[in-house]
Amino acid sequence: MKKYLEFSKDVKEAFKKKQSVIALESTIISHGMPYPQNLEVAGKLEAIAREMGVIPATICLMDGKVKIGLVQKDLELLAKADNIAKVSRRDIGRIIATKKVGATTVAATMIAANWAGIKVFATGGIGGVHRNAENTFDVSNDLIELSRVPVIVVSAGAKAILDLSKTLEYLETMGVPVYGYRTDRFPAFYSSQSNLKVDKLDTPRQIADIYKTNIKLGLINGILVANPIPEKYEIPFAEMEGYIDSALEKADENNITGRELTPFLLSEIVKITEGRSLQANIKLVENNVRLACEIEKILYYTCSQKCEV
Ligand code: PSU
Ligand code: MN
């Protein structure tokens, strides 16, 4: 597996110097946001991490390799090209073997981060159980990878286009710990809270300690940290519901299913809200990068002394 990993100069140096590194995904760039905001966000997230003393490793597949850490040219390709594959676990081998360009989802980014030895990963919102999943069976691969890849994923909950209650039930079934960061209500992506309860944690240290304890116990699973969007940037839950319903109706009329569904819904909602949802999305990811850096700094500091996690 190691021969398929290609580290950027920055990430290689960071590992050598025992500096903290966090993972960032690339589907949010290629499929989650429109150009040119996607490119600006990709750069901004990396800058936020660096300001906090953490080296960002944005991950994608390119030239038959799993790239850990990208340069500006790679980010531009992901942001502009319209033939980029959206890669979850099942697509990794195909995209590597055919040397195509693939943007990694939460699922594939977790897998690649774990291969690279990176333990903390920041995204926007994870994929989950879609509304009407009892008929469509549409459940994101993200939930399965959270149950078997030992990486901490910092998110603003699951995307509000999903059935959040079924998503939490599924995570419980799969044994995935879900923690609200300074909240006991599961956040709803664009809104800081839903009416669903989760366990609350108040400090990055508590999250790092639980992760280390799991690893020492041999409990090899991820941890989902649900970090609410700051209230000043949120769009209230009740207001979002109307927009989401319109987007879902349009997806149904156009027979959009499978891996196309999430990108379609996100971009419809950007249109319906005239860009407000995009602004919220950007703010919440930035907020997640900050928390991911804090967790990573504690985890790395404590672990580099002694424990091998
Ligand atoms: N978070 C965002 N925007 C996104 C995504 C997450 O703010 O576009 C992407 C992630 O890559 C996630 C994927 O893994 O959407 C989920 O897709 P699906 O529902 O098809 O599994
Ligand atoms: Mn799906």
Side-chain angles (χ1 to χ4, degrees):
M1 171 271 291
K2 288 254 148 71
K3 80 179 209 277
Y4 289 102
L5 299 184
E6 188 177 300
F7 294 92
S8 69
K9 201 169 126 268
D10 282 2
V11 172
K12 227 186 274 175
E13 241 168 61
F15 281 150
K16 217 180 282 165
K17 288 195 226 150
K18 294 203 180 295
Q19 197 177 354
S20 285
V21 177
I22 60 158
L24 298 170
E25 60 148 314
S26 45
T27 295
I28 192 169
I29 307 172
S30 62
H31 295 71
M33 291 182 189
Y35 180 80
Q37 288 92 337
N38 56 356
L39 184 58
E40 287 162 25
V41 171
K44 177 91 189 283
L45 300 182
E46 295 208 351
I48 291 173
R50 284 175 203 281
E51 267 165 39
M52 295 187 64
V54 175
I55 298 300
T58 306
I59 292 176
C60 81
L61 309 185
M62 216 180 263
D63 306 323
K65 300 275 185 191
V66 183
K67 284 202 164 198
I68 313 287
L70 304 181
V71 294
Q72 186 65 16
K73 175 171 71 58
D74 304 325
L75 295 177
E76 277 175 27
L77 176 69
L78 288 164
K80 287 183 192 167
D82 53 14
N83 59 347
I84 310 268
K86 177 178 161 191
V87 173
S88 279
R89 174 183 281 263
R90 68 170 182 178
D91 312 295
I92 296 175
R94 173 174 60 90
I95 299 300
I96 297 274
T98 55
K99 298 191 161 56
K100 292 200 171 115
V101 182
T104 51
T105 59
V106 168
T109 306
M110 287 184 79
I111 293 170
N114 186 44
W115 284 341
I118 302 170
K119 289 156 185 87
V120 187
F121 159 32
T123 181
I126 61 160
V129 180
H130 279 268
R131 300 180 190 201
N132 198 32
E134 60 276 31
N135 294 310
T136 63
F137 270 53
D138 192 343
V139 177
S140 176
N141 176 223
D142 292 355
L143 303 186
I144 309 291
E145 301 313 326
L146 274 162
S147 76
R148 61 182 173 194
V149 181
V151 168
I152 300 173
V153 178
V154 182
S155 70
K159 284 190 277 283
I161 53 173
L162 301 164
D163 186 322
L164 296 184
S165 152
K166 288 198 182 79
T167 299
L168 281 182
E169 290 294 347
Y170 199 87
L171 285 164
E172 184 184 341
T173 301
M174 298 303 291
V176 179
V178 180
Y179 299 113
Y181 185 64
R182 298 184 178 162
T183 179
D184 63 357
R185 302 281 151 177
F186 192 52
F189 197 62
Y190 305 113
S191 328
S192 61
Q193 49 174 272
S194 66
N195 53 4
L196 302 162
K197 291 213 67 163
V198 285
D199 292 329
K200 172 172 176 265
L201 292 180
D202 292 314
T203 64
R205 184 170 300 279
Q206 288 173 321
I207 298 165
D209 283 348
I210 291 171
Y211 176 79
K212 283 192 288 183
T213 305
N214 274 347
I215 299 290
K216 286 184 192 152
L217 289 168
L219 294 169
I220 307 303
N221 51 255
I223 289 181
L224 181 63
V225 177
N227 184 30
I229 182 173
E231 270 170 40
K232 61 181 167 193
Y233 301 121
E234 75 173 335
I235 308 178
F237 192 73
E239 185 185 345
M240 272 319 297
E241 277 303 290
Y243 308 142
I244 291 168
D245 284 343
S246 315
L248 284 167
E249 241 167 68
K250 190 146 179 200
D252 195 37
E253 279 161 23
N254 292 284
N255 289 319
I256 311 281
T257 57
R259 61 161 73 95
E260 269 107 56
L261 183 59
T262 296
F264 178 88
L265 293 173
L266 290 175
S267 87
E268 271 310 303
I269 292 168
V270 173
K271 281 187 221 158
I272 298 169
T273 61
E274 296 172 340
R276 267 175 76 213
S277 70
L278 180 58
Q279 279 317 307
N281 198 344
I282 292 170
K283 293 298 179 192
L284 67 86
V285 193
E286 292 176 3
N287 193 43
N288 294 341
V289 169
R290 286 189 200 98
L291 179 56
C293 289
E294 286 179 33
I295 298 169
E296 162 57 25
K297 284 198 279 187
I298 288 175
L299 196 61
Y300 201 81
Y301 175 74
T302 47
C303 290
S304 60
Q305 317 293 303
K306 210 169 176 1
C307 60
E308 177 63 28
V309 288

